[in-house]
Structures are given as C-alpha cells and as structure tokens.
Amino acid sequence: MHIAMASDHAGRQLKEEIKALLIASGHTVEDFGADSDDPADLPDHVLPASLAVSSGKADRGIFVDGVGYGSAMIANKIHGVYAAVCQDSFCAELARSHSDTNVLCLGGKLIGSAIALEIVRVWMNTQWLGDTEPKYARRVQKVVALDSKFRAE
C-alpha cells in the first residue's frame, strides 16, 4: 500500500518511527512533513496528505500531531477522507473493521512509541467488515452520503 504521512513538529519523531515500520512491512510512504522540530503549522502538512488520500494517489494516510485531534479535524474536511483518532489498538481495530477509515490520526504527546506502533500494525492489518456484514456497509454508506451531500463546491 502507498501511505501518505504528515505531522507537525510535535508528531515528527513518532512519524519517523511509524514510517520506518511501514517501509519495513513493504509499504511505500510519501512524507508531507514536517521535516524538523521547528514549529510547524499542521494544515500545511495534513492538507496535502489528505488530498493525496482523497484523490487516490495514496491508499491511506497516517497523521501525527500532539494529540491527534487537529489532524483529524483537518483531514475530515476533505471529501473522501474518513479519519479517526486512535489511542489504543482496540479503537484502531474498530476504526477499520466497523468504519472503514482511510486515515489514522495519532497523538505523539499522548502515546508512546510501542503503543503507537501496535496501533499502526492493527489498523493497517484489519479488514473492513462491510463486505461480509451488511450493517457496517449500510452505516458507512450513510456517512459517505453525508460527505457528498454537505461537501462545499
């Protein structure tokens, strides 16, 4: 899979660890920054990464900031992007299996490296249940319809 990654300065170090895990697992990564620990404005990095997911240039996205919520707020403004903040592997599994999320947001100030890497492993390897359980497909389709209906042109 091709993964779009983004962070601000608070998430940069964890982003680098996740990037190494993804590459070692056979994925390709496009890193939209930040590239240093100097203060960075999150939208400058998350927006282009979200657009890569929305356009299909990336299969999924993983964004890391201080708490994860800033990345999710930005990402979920983009049509076709369905981002979830996950702070444990149980939430990551449900975000994929029940909600078919295509962007994972993590908080570099909230969770340590070992937990974050396990969240990424679970999220990357969990399949969406909508293909076999119609209730999940129905629920996700309602979200997709909202995304289309209320999208600004």
Side-chain angles (χ1 to χ4, degrees), residues 93-135:
E93 181 180 358
L94 294 180
R96 281 290 310 136
S97 65
H98 290 195
S99 301
D100 197 23
T101 56
N102 56 6
V103 170
L104 172 64
C105 298
L106 299 168
K109 291 183 178 180
L110 296 179
I111 55 176
S113 166
I115 292 172
L117 295 176
E118 182 59 20
I119 290 168
V120 169
R121 280 188 205 93
V122 168
W123 188 78
M124 288 296 297
N125 292 305
T126 298
Q127 297 299 311
W128 180 48
L129 296 176
D131 294 329
T132 58
E133 296 190 37
K135 67 182 178 183

Side-chain angles (χ1 to χ4, degrees), residues 72-87:
M73 280 184 2
I74 297 161
N76 282 320
K77 301 279 187 229
I78 305 305
H79 176 67
V81 174
Y82 305 99
V85 178
C86 296
Q87 296 170 346

Side-chain angles (χ1 to χ4, degrees), residues 13-29:
Q13 182 176 349
L14 183 56
K15 179 191 68 174
E16 295 300 325
E17 292 180 51
I18 294 167
K19 182 171 32 172
L21 171 73
L22 292 170
I23 292 168
S25 300
H27 301 286
T28 58
V29 173

